[in-house]
Each structure stands twice: as structure tokens, then as C-alpha cells.
Amino acid sequence: MSNFLTDNPAIYERQFPDPEHRAARFAHDVLARFGASRPLRVLDLGCGTGRDAGHLAALGHEVVGLDSSRAMLEYATAHHSAATFVEGDLRDFDLGREFDAITCLDSALLYCHTNDDLNACLDRCHRHLVPGGLLVAEMRNGAFFLAGTPGNTDLLDGVRTRTVTVDGVPHTSHTRLYLDHAEQLLRRHRVWEWPGQTEPLAQDSAWRLLFPQELRAFCDRAGFDVPALFDSPGPRTDEPWRPDAPLSSGLTGDRLHLVARRRPHR
């Protein structure tokens, strides 16, 4: 399915900037904290523009980025030569090799909408990790959105409008988020406008919302132990990530961070 942002990586980078590489530094620091201190073979799932994979490679890791968007992969290859990029789907990728670590940032895991999708993705992760290898995932926290946590409505109230300019052309988005309780999804309706456009472009997408204990159960079934599950700090939390920060296990925040370790056997 066509998606305006994944079809236009330069606009994506302006829409979701990370000039300080907080996401990549978060992943690097978490891997070191949980025992992976040497340069690693890392697979970055849902790598998008390659920004995180490229920075992890610059930190000394051997990095492969995987994404389903050819436009994103072409952009990533052109801008981040230290990493390798391949086309693939989260649910059925097969690279024929193992990695020391897998990263899955910015809610990429939540594009697995069904239980079968999520089981398939975690099974693929298990297959591609060495025994003891780490999966680090960063995503939205279903408990925050679905459990009626006080203050959780700010993201769901009304339409948010934003304009980003690329090559002198302003692109304006109008975004509305809403909950689909029956399907356990956070849905997004976004309308794009830019000069010379004949009519607005409307697109819909969604993320699966997972409760923390639910995520633990999926990981257990797939052959992972979970040494850490925390809401803050992280690359997209109010309290900024730092390597020595204590991990909050209250899990009331809007982000959820997973560290899972592959067992030798199921």
C-alpha cells in the first residue's frame, strides 16, 4: 500500500527529525547495558531512511537495515554507506544469517496488527539471533492508551496540523489519532496538502497496541526471556535517555521499551 511519507523519505526526515540520533544512541546504550559491549552484528527492522542503522554503523557495529519500502531503502543506501540495506517484510524475512542483536524502533513492531503477525515477526527474530542475542524494541504503550490512564487523551484530542518544507515546497499535514478498541489499534487519519496539488491526499494507518504483560507472553512463546520492560527513559520520552538512568517499571507512560534475550532453545 502506498504511503506518502515512506514514498518521500526527505519529507519523512523533516516530519520526524532526530538530529541528535537519540534513537540510535538509545539502542547502542541499551545493548551495552545488557552485556553486548563489543562491536555487534545488528539487524535494524523497519529501518526507514536508514538514520538509526547508519549511526549504529558509525559507532562501529556491522549493521543491516531491513524495510519494505523501496523508496526508503534507496534513500538509506544513498545517505548511509556504512550500513547495508535489504528489502523485506517484518513477518517473513529470511536473510540466511544470524545477528548478535536486533533493533526495532519507533513502533515498527506495532505494524504487526494481528496475533499471527506478531508471532511470525518474533519467530523470525528468534531465528535470526544467536543464542543469547538481544532484541531491543521501542514502541507506544498500549496500557497508556487503552487503560484510561489520566492525561492520556492529549494525543487523541482533535486534529494536529504541521507544515514541513522540502526543496522550497511546503507540505502541510492534518493528523487525527483515534482508538479502535475492538481491534486493539491506534488508528491515524492524515490529510496532506501542498501547492499545486489538485486535491488533498488522505491516508490511513494503524499501530497495534500491546499491554506489557501481553508483550511478555508473546516473547515467552517465541523463546525469549525479558530482562527489562520499561516506559522511561527513552529516545521519545520527556525524561531524556542516558546510559546510567534507572529504568522505570511503572509502565504508565506513553512509550514502552523492550529488551528480550533469545533462549538457546524454545
Side-chain angles (χ1 to χ4, degrees), residues 59 77 93 108 116 120 124 129 136 171 186 215 224 265-266:
L59 292 173
T77 300
F93 64 93
D116 287 343
R124 293 289 171 168
L129 281 170
V136 176
H171 296 79
L186 177 64
L215 183 56
F224 288 93
H265 305 288
R266 289 289 180 117

Side-chain angles (χ1 to χ4, degrees), residues 55-76:
H55 193 70
L56 286 169
L59 292 173
H61 303 295
E62 176 191 343
V63 185
V64 175
L66 181 144
D67 204 277
S68 60
S69 166
R70 292 188 180 182
M72 285 290 203
L73 293 171
E74 290 173 2
Y75 184 95

Side-chain angles (χ1 to χ4, degrees), residues 41-134:
R41 297 166 296 169
V42 179
L43 173 61
D44 184 31
L45 294 182
C47 66
T49 62
R51 181 171 57 199
D52 301 329
H55 193 70
L56 286 169
L59 292 173
H61 303 295
E62 176 191 343
V63 185
V64 175
L66 181 144
D67 204 277
S68 60
S69 166
R70 292 188 180 182
M72 285 290 203
L73 293 171
E74 290 173 2
Y75 184 95
T77 300
H79 288 80
H80 303 287
S81 59
T84 301
F85 299 96
V86 298
E87 186 175 352
D89 188 282
L90 291 175
R91 299 160 295 184
D92 64 4
F93 64 93
D94 186 359
L95 304 186
R97 57 173 294 192
E98 293 180 328
F99 296 85
D100 304 301
I102 293 176
T103 56
C104 191
L105 306 174
D106 198 20
S107 295
L109 186 67
L110 303 185
Y111 288 111
C112 296
H113 290 175
T114 68
N115 291 348
D116 287 343
D117 288 344
L118 189 54
N119 283 329
C121 178
L122 291 173
D123 285 344
R124 293 289 171 168
C125 290
H126 188 278
R127 183 182 304 179
H128 284 77
L129 281 170
V130 299
L134 293 174

Side-chain angles (χ1 to χ4, degrees), residues 143-161:
F144 177 84
F145 290 94
L146 293 172
T149 303
N152 71 350
T153 61
D154 290 351
L155 291 174
L156 306 175
D157 289 341
V159 175
R160 297 193 171 203
T161 297

Side-chain angles (χ1 to χ4, degrees), residues 214-225:
E214 182 184 19
L215 183 56
R216 286 184 183 275
F218 275 105
C219 288
D220 179 64
R221 188 217 62 86
F224 288 93
D225 294 320

